[in-house]
Amino acid sequence: MKVCRTIAVTRGELRAVRGGSIGLVPTMGALHAGHLSLLEAARGENDSVVMSIFVNPAQFSDGADLAAYPRDDEHDLALAREAGVDLVFAPSAEEMYPSGFQTWVDVTELGSVLEGEFRPGHFRGVATVVLKLFEIVRPTRAYFGQKDAQQVAVIRQLIRDLAVDVELRVLPIVRDADGLALSSRNVLLTPQQRRTALALPRALATRDRDAALMHLRSTDGLDVDYVEVADFGPPVLAGAVRVGTTRLIDNVPLEGDPA
Ligand code: AMP
């Protein structure tokens, strides 16, 4: 497995495998089984698998949130190697945002509601870095989790609007046995906060906005940002809550098999 820190070296390494298909799995590291499900799908469907690790400062509006984001490079590289990743692209912030950087991608409508409303500029950061990763890796397929349903919708729109030549693959949410969606941020929760956080999947499991809100509002130690029905194709009931200083999001599909 190659570990590349620069765009130039990554492009050089990928030149040799451009004859075959390339699967790209963008991540912010602190890998868990949700990420591994994307890597497994990418490994099964492509000749080469590229994983990026980049905690993208442009998608964090809050400096403290960025500083607290869990990082564990060595563990991530070991897991990536086990998952059969061929190349890890793990650039510095300066590599992705060189001095003088001023070009941004803004998915104006989809990027400004729900998560976009509570995290202004978040999807501008996401869309910009994802398009840049697409340009660097030029993947055949790119893999994203339904956990971030709005992010998937934003990227689908970006691909369509800018005619990006990539196949978007979306994988289901991986959950812990108790129902909590896996997230790199879960390690930031105390045991008590983790129990409190379970209210989010339980509330969304009602598949009813009002019932979900009532359940969340009656839970101590948790603040609700929103619970809304959103047509992200598929339609979902999506929610975001804060437990202490940790913000958690989750969603359930409103069509098809609840399981
Ligand atoms: P992140 O490192 O949190 O930016 O996530 C990288 C990718 O993994 C994104 O496409 C996420 O949607 C996806 N992902 C994160 N958590 C999960 C999960 N619990 N199940 C499935 N995919 C996930």
Side-chain angles (χ1 to χ4, degrees):
M1 185 179 80
K2 305 256 167 43
V3 180
C4 304
R5 304 280 174 188
T6 69
I7 295 166
V9 169
T10 302
R11 285 199 166 129
E13 292 291 343
L14 290 177
R15 211 164 285 140
V17 299
R18 291 241 173 259
S21 57
I22 299 177
L24 170 66
V25 181
T27 82
M28 299 205 298
L31 299 188
H32 51 65
H35 298 111
L36 297 184
S37 75
L38 304 184
L39 293 175
E40 192 186 341
R43 183 67 281 170
E45 296 173 359
N46 299 278
D47 298 315
S48 303
V49 175
V50 176
M51 180 179 86
S52 59
I53 302 178
F54 183 56
V55 183
N56 176 25
Q59 69 189 67
F60 288 79
S61 35
D62 174 1
D65 186 26
L66 174 62
Y69 198 84
R71 290 169 171 82
D72 192 348
D73 255 25
E74 253 176 60
H75 188 233
D76 289 343
L77 294 181
L79 288 177
R81 199 170 280 116
E82 266 176 53
V85 171
D86 297 296
L87 187 150
V88 173
F89 176 51
S92 64
E94 295 69 37
E95 181 72 7
M96 292 300 271
Y97 299 103
S99 123
F101 186 95
Q102 54 183 292
T103 304
W104 297 97
V105 181
D106 204 353
V107 180
T108 51
E109 282 175 39
L110 263 174
S112 62
V113 296
L114 297 180
E115 281 299 287
E117 193 181 329
F118 284 87
R119 303 183 71 187
H122 171 68
F123 286 117
R124 186 175 94 141
V126 168
T128 303
V129 87
V130 167
L131 183 62
K132 187 156 184 171
L133 290 170
F134 285 170
E135 270 306 300
I136 295 163
V137 176
R138 287 198 276 126
T140 317
R141 301 181 186 87
Y143 295 78
F144 292 88
Q146 178 64 16
K147 160 91 182 349
D148 298 273
Q150 189 173 1
Q151 171 170 278
V152 167
V154 163
I155 291 164
R156 186 180 294 124
Q157 188 74 36
L158 154 78
I159 289 172
R160 178 171 167 262
D161 289 350
L162 300 182
V164 183
D165 189 13
V166 65
E167 182 187 335
L168 178 64
R169 299 279 290 114
V170 183
L171 276 290
I173 301 179
V174 178
R175 297 177 181 280
D176 265 335
D178 58 10
L180 190 67
L182 295 186
S183 163
S184 302
R185 293 178 195 273
N186 291 354
V187 300
L188 303 172
L189 299 168
T190 66
Q192 172 58 41
Q193 287 176 331
R194 203 189 173 294
R195 283 192 288 277
T196 302
L198 279 179
L200 180 58
R202 286 181 185 155
L204 295 178
T206 63
R207 298 174 138 212
D208 178 298
R209 177 180 176 271
D210 295 342
L213 268 176
M214 206 153 60
H215 182 74
L216 290 171
R217 287 191 178 136
S218 68
T219 305
D220 287 336
L222 170 156
D223 292 301
V224 183
D225 275 356
Y226 62 82
V227 176
E228 294 293 345
V229 172
D231 191 359
F232 290 143
V236 296
L237 182 63
V241 300
R242 282 165 287 119
V243 182
T245 54
T246 304
R247 194 164 176 285
L248 300 170
I249 61 170
D250 196 352
N251 69 91
V252 294
L254 291 176
E255 285 174 1
D257 179 1

